[in-house]
């Protein structure tokens, strides 16, 4: 007798997804910035190199080694009154091809009166057919300062990789003293390569970066920043502008380059300029 089995095949088990949450709170104590609270969950880890004096340095690590569809990663950093912190990542974050859903990262930064934060992660590398969304929410006290950077590479020319298709969404909201002072939404996809070729987009560049400085010293740094970025009329790719914001100021800089190395050649001195005496995170290099 032939058995007729019409039962549907058992569904494949769901793939295990990355879920990570890291929280850090630092405050001023004994004349310097010190760690006061630390929380780590899942793939999100935070390490604190031994540093004498301010700012406190924190290194964020995603132990999963990258992100893909369905992964979720969240970071929350709080800086207390008169304290100062510099936050970077152990390496470039890689966003791989997504079979379904999208990878998401959320960042929350809060800085109390007279505090300062430098958010300086290394580049995010977006691979072909990746789907990624990142949100950055920053709350600054009226007299707090911040330097914020996000840099993105759409493929790696040195590895023969190009990002042709996918989706990428970067959302920023920055407030100071309870008032919104900066907001932007950058979206690209599904035809990433074609969009990057447009003169009004990146003009063929595959590496981009945005830096935002909120500080009373921002205006005085505008011309030195422009000198590093280069004149767009003679081959420079990018620009910088300044706005008065209450009793403070806002300097916004954007850079484009053909690859990650060319981007870092200008990004490194620009971060050193805008970050003052704190300079560049120790893990950064050309």
């Amino acid at each position: 007798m032939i058995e007729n089995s019409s039962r549907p095949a058992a569904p494949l088990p769901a793939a295990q997804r990355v879920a990570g949450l890291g929280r850090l709170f630092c405050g001023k104590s004994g004349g310097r910035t010190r760690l006061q609270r630390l929380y780590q969950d899942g793939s999100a880890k935070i390490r604190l190199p031994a540093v004498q004096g301010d700012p406190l340095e924190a290194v964020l690590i995603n132990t999963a080694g990258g992100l893909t569809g369905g992964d979720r990663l969240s970071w929350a950093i709080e800086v207390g009154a008169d304290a100062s912190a510099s936050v970077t990542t152990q390496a470039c974050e890689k966003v791989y091809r997504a079979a379904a859903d999208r990878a998401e990262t959320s960042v929350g930064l809060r800085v109390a009166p007279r505090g300062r934060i430098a958010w300086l992660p290394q580049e995010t590398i977006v691979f072909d057919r990746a789907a990624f969304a990142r949100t950055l929410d920053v709350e600054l006290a009226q007299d707090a300062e911040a330097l914020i950077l996000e840099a993105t590479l759409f493929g790696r020319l040195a590895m023969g990789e190009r990002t042709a298709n996918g989706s990428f969404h970067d959302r920023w909201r920055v407030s100071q003293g309870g008032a919104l002072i900066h907001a932007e939404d950058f979206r690209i996809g599904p035809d990433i390569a074609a969009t990057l070729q447009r003169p009004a987009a990146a003009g063929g560049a595959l590496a981009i970066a945005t830096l935002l400085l909120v500080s009373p010293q921002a205006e005085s740094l505008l011309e030195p920043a422009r000198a590093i970025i280069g004149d767009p009329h003679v081959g420079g790719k990018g620009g910088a502008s300044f706005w008065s914001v209450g009793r403070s100021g806002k300097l916004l800089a954007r850079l484009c380059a053909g690859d990650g190395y060319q981007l870092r050649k200008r990004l490194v001195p620009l971060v050193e300029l805008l970050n003052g005496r704190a300079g560049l995170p120790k893990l950064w290099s050309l």
Side-chain angles (χ1 to χ4, degrees), residues 33 51-58 83-88 116-120 145-147 213 268-284:
T33 302
V51 177
Q52 299 298 321
D54 285 352
L56 176 88
E57 288 194 13
S84 177
S86 177
V87 184
T88 189
R116 189 181 194 277
I117 190 166
W119 172 258
L120 302 171
E145 298 183 27
L147 174 61
L213 174 66
V268 164
L270 187 56
V271 170
E272 289 178 323
L273 169 72
L274 300 182
N275 206 24
R277 290 181 298 174
L280 202 69
K282 292 180 174 57
L283 290 177
W284 276 59

Side-chain angles (χ1 to χ4, degrees), residues 14 20-21 31 49 80 83 90 102-103 114 126 131-132 198 223 230 248 256 258 262 265 272-273 280:
L21 170 62
Q90 183 187 41
R102 67 181 185 182
R114 301 172 303 283
V126 180
F132 180 58
R198 297 175 185 170
E223 292 307 320
S248 186
C256 298
Q262 294 300 321
K265 284 176 65 176
E272 289 178 323
L273 169 72
L280 202 69

